[in-house]
Structures are given as C-alpha cells and as structure tokens.
Amino acid sequence: MSSIHSGNLIIGQSGGATAVINASLVGAVEAALTSQRINGIYGMHHGIEGLLKEDIIDLRQQPSSIWPQLVHTPSAALGSCRYKLQPHDLERTIEILKRYDIRYLLYIGGNDSADTAHQIAQAARQANYELYILSIPKTIDNDLPFTDHCPGYGSAARFIAQATQDSTLNTLSIPWHYPVKVIETMGRDAGWLTASAALGKRSETDAPHILLLPEQPFREQTFLTQVEDIYRRLGYVIIVVAEAMRDDKGQALGTAGQAGLDAFQHPLLSGAAQYLVELVKRELKIRARFDKPGDLQRMSSTSISKPDQEEAYLVGKMGVQALLAGESDKMITLVRHTEPDYHCTTGLADLDTVANVQRLIPDHYLNADKTMVTQAFYNYALPLIGAPLIPASKLEMTRIQ
C-alpha cells in the first residue's frame, strides 16, 4: 500500500489500562508532531465507543509539558472502553473518519482491540476509503501472538513478583496464624502473570511454592496432597492462582463469585482464591487466607519497569512511522535481541492472524507437574521487569544458650 500525502491521525486506547499504556500514547503523539504529513492529531475519548459518539479530543491543543509527565502516569489518559463493534457501527465509523479527514488510526490494546482495528480496516477497504490503521499491543496478560511480549506485562509482572515476596514476609512473621496463603492474580486464559510471582524465588523452599495456571486443569486431590506435603516440611505454604483457574470439566473455581460477562462474552470472575482457602480449611483443617491485589497489579506507578515503559513508548512511536510508510491492518510487534545486551526492535504482524488469538505459556517454561516455572521462564521474564527486586533481609535466629 502506497503512502498518502497528508491527513489527520486519531489514537484510541482500549481494554484494561496498564501502568505504561500512556507511554505508547506519548510515543505516538511525539512521533506525529514531527511529521509534516500529519495535520490534526486527535484522541478518541474512551476508545471506539467514544469515536462512535464523536467524543474526540484535539491532542495538538495539549500543553507540551504534559507529554513527558504522561509517560510516567498509569491508566489510560484518553479513557478506555470494552465495546464490541456491532455490524451497524462500521458504516458509522467510516462516515465519522471521513468527516474528520482521518487517514491514520492507531488503536492501543489487546486481543479484542486488535479485532476492532481489523474490522475497521476491512470496512474502510470495502468502502474504498484510504485509511491506514495499526494496532499497538498492550496487555498485562502477555497473550498476544507474534510479539515476544506485550507492553504492560513487565510492570505487572514486577508488581506481582515483589508483592508475593512482601506478602510472604508477613506470613513468616506469624506462620501459625495463617500458614496457608493464596494470592490471586489477573489472567483470563494465559498464566504469564501468575508465573511471574516466582521471579523473586531463589531456592526450592522460597515462596511461592505452588503456581496454579489457567492452562492446566485444577485437580483437587493433587493440590491438597501438595499443600499438605509442603506444610509438613516448611510450616507454611504460599500459593499463587490465576483468577480464571478451572477444573478438569472447564468450570471456573469459585463460580459462585462470577459477576457476569463483558461485552466480548469473557466471564468476569472472582472467587478462585476464596475457593482454595475454603477447600484447605475444610479438607486439611489448616488456617488459610487470601490476598487479591486487583487493579493494583496492572496500575501501580511504583512498580513501573523501565524496559516496559521504554518499549511501550517505542511501539507507539514505530506505529506512527509504520503508518507513514503505508502499512495498514497490522500490529506492531516487539522483537527480542540479547546481544550485546537485552533490547527490542519492532516488527509487524497481520491483524487477521492476531485478532482473537491467544498465546498461552509454553510447556518448557513449566516443571513436570506444571506448578512451578523453569529456568527458561526466568531467562525470558527477568529482563522484562527491569531492576532487581528489593531483597528481603532476615535475622539469624541464634538463641541465647
């Protein structure tokens, strides 16, 4: 597809916000500001849902001082949405884009956002409207295909890894009070975030002791046997479970806590950790409790990973450059390099191969019983979380004779 001479750019953010999603916005805006072929720079207020309402922001009118500040600000500055395009929306979308002379469109989001971008690209093609549209990857679930990893994951992984270590110290201070602790992470179908809880683990006895990932069916008796064995050996057990953990029949744990479906028919789950706590108390007669970080795990400004932030900026910047080069109906990807040191460049993947496709955690990142990660996962994930985690110091318990 050949490049066009000039036109307006619009940018949207969609899906669950992250600690670094605004860095992608800033990367795109700053790249657009240097281009003579981009006239207006607009923002969708609350993603595609806002565009359909013609709730559009003029980003050129923002003070220049806002962009370096926004890089370090979590959540979606433009506002986000979880809106599934209806067939009648596409015609209106193209009509609005035409009216505002929008020729370039960047949509920042995950799997469902990639699908939205792909549908708009197809609609523009059918309407013979010259539109260049790209998807910018973003998801803490880290489950988009064709990219080495997703912006947003490294910061969320850093939060979970540090939080697991910190919460464990509380358990160790009075191990007989609540010797079994369950920490619940986000993650719809992929266990990348749950696995990240182990990034502070240095020995077999360190926490976490059990990881329950949604790729593997939950087997109650196997779990109880493992908990009891670790409790007998160590006196405490730290378990990290994905909120979407399912049994071997595909039923989500703690289904009683399900809060319905989102616009894309994904279940809104809540209850896996509580289910496990009640199971341990009932079957093993051991005191247990749970921690649920919730939105904090994807929105903590104190846990922003520097590489994650820089890569989020990079995909936004390169998204604009790819649009200007005539690329469309594609997603920007991150390509890993390890020489001379870890860094990423960018590539492109066709949206029709990305939309609604999930990349699950591969078997070689997990041990034989699929409840702990291997060295291969450490090699993959540690560069993404940035600086080393804050280490815990422990007193030597030398008693007076």
Side-chain angles (χ1 to χ4, degrees), residues 295-308:
D295 285 346
L296 284 175
Q297 62 199 279
R298 59 183 174 85
M299 210 70 69
S300 172
S301 60
T302 60
S303 293
I304 289 176
S305 153
K306 190 65 175 174
D308 193 28

Side-chain angles (χ1 to χ4, degrees), residues 153-315:
Y153 172 66
S155 297
R158 181 176 183 83
F159 177 93
I160 289 296
Q162 190 69 65
T164 299
Q165 297 305 306
D166 294 347
S167 186
T168 297
L169 292 175
N170 185 66
T171 298
L172 286 172
S173 66
I174 319 179
W176 57 87
H177 191 51
Y178 285 105
V180 174
K181 176 173 285 180
V182 182
I183 300 171
E184 185 178 296
T185 72
M186 291 178 169
R188 186 182 303 143
D189 295 304
W192 297 98
L193 195 56
T194 306
S196 72
L199 292 176
K201 186 180 176 77
R202 294 293 175 264
S203 70
E204 184 183 355
T205 57
D206 286 346
H209 305 112
I210 302 172
L211 300 175
L212 297 176
L213 287 70
E215 289 92 339
Q216 310 299 325
F218 176 74
R219 293 184 171 87
E220 182 176 300
Q221 194 51 56
T222 301
F223 168 75
L224 291 171
T225 299
Q226 193 173 9
V227 170
E228 188 170 33
D229 176 64
I230 295 168
Y231 175 67
R232 289 179 185 275
R233 287 189 291 113
L234 303 180
Y236 75 106
V237 189
I238 306 297
I239 302 149
V240 183
V241 61
E243 62 184 358
M245 194 68 196
R246 301 173 180 87
D247 61 24
D248 52 11
K249 296 179 181 178
Q251 187 72 36
L253 303 188
T255 304
Q258 185 168 325
L261 303 172
D262 68 12
F264 294 89
Q265 300 303 301
H266 303 310
L268 303 172
L269 298 170
S270 176
Q274 185 172 353
Y275 173 89
L276 294 177
V277 163
E278 296 303 323
L279 179 65
V280 167
K281 290 195 295 187
R282 183 178 69 250
E283 299 297 326
L284 299 180
K285 305 297 187 285
I286 304 173
R287 289 170 63 87
R289 65 171 296 167
F290 64 83
D291 285 343
K292 295 176 65 169
D295 285 346
L296 284 175
Q297 62 199 279
R298 59 183 174 85
M299 210 70 69
S300 172
S301 60
T302 60
S303 293
I304 289 176
S305 153
K306 190 65 175 174
D308 193 28
Q309 185 183 69
E310 291 173 347
E311 289 164 2
Y313 182 94
L314 175 67
V315 293

